[in-house]
Amino acid sequence: MTMQTVRDVMTTNVVYLPSETTLAEAARTMREQDIGDVVVADGPGLTGVVTDRDIVVRAVAERCDPAATTLGEIVTRDLVTVRPEDSIHTAALLMRDQAVRRVLVCDDVQGLVGIVSIGDLAEEIDPDSVLGGISKAAPNN
């Protein structure tokens, strides 16, 4: 049995938005794309990541106006990354140690090549677990 790598389970459809994007626009994009995060980028460099949870906890719960607050105001700038050839177990341990639910997948040539979430890993490591089952289920609309 070959070791599964991050490349085997990562999502390659990364959605980029500029930091001046409002949270309302970002939330609509997440809904339309059926994703839980966007990468914030201004020009060629990555600024950070914003998740649906970030929007709720850092903005909505603080009574910030989603139509006026921008991604740049709530973005997570400390990026946690893995390499495509890393094992899925290495990625899971990194998520545990860094207390994050997703990590960016970067290589030396292309830079950002994907994102892997805890749900992606759960489906592969233990598909019969509760988290694996939830991750495989169709989204609620």
Side-chain angles (χ1 to χ4, degrees):
M1 186 168 116
T2 61
M3 175 187 68
Q4 275 199 292
T5 65
V6 169
R7 182 185 322 280
D8 298 327
V9 300
M10 71 183 188
T11 299
T12 57
N13 184 23
V14 178
V15 175
Y16 297 87
L17 293 174
S19 60
E20 66 268 8
T21 304
T22 67
L23 302 185
E25 292 173 72
R28 281 190 294 275
T29 298
M30 289 181 195
R31 180 188 63 204
E32 290 162 6
Q33 298 289 322
D34 192 26
I35 56 175
D37 57 77
V38 294
V39 173
V40 181
D42 294 304
L46 299 179
T47 302
V49 175
V50 172
T51 67
D52 48 5
R53 187 174 191 279
D54 293 334
I55 293 172
V56 171
V57 173
R58 296 181 186 169
V60 175
E62 297 296 326
R63 296 197 167 109
C64 297
D65 180 359
T69 307
T70 66
L71 292 175
E73 295 175 64
I74 68 161
V75 65
T76 299
R77 296 178 189 276
D78 295 330
L79 301 177
V80 180
T81 65
V82 293
R83 301 178 60 75
E85 63 272 10
D86 288 343
S87 75
I88 60 174
H89 291 283
T90 297
L93 292 173
L94 181 65
M95 287 179 183
R96 181 197 66 192
D97 294 346
Q98 296 294 315
V100 295
R101 293 176 174 87
R102 58 186 47 84
V103 293
L104 301 181
V105 184
C106 299
D107 71 15
D108 293 334
V109 177
Q110 295 176 285
L112 180 62
V113 295
I115 296 177
V116 65
S117 72
I118 195 169
D120 297 330
L121 297 178
E123 286 181 51
E124 292 301 320
I125 294 172
D126 192 0
D128 296 326
S129 70
V130 172
L131 182 56
I134 291 169
S135 297
K136 286 190 289 191
N140 296 337
N141 290 331

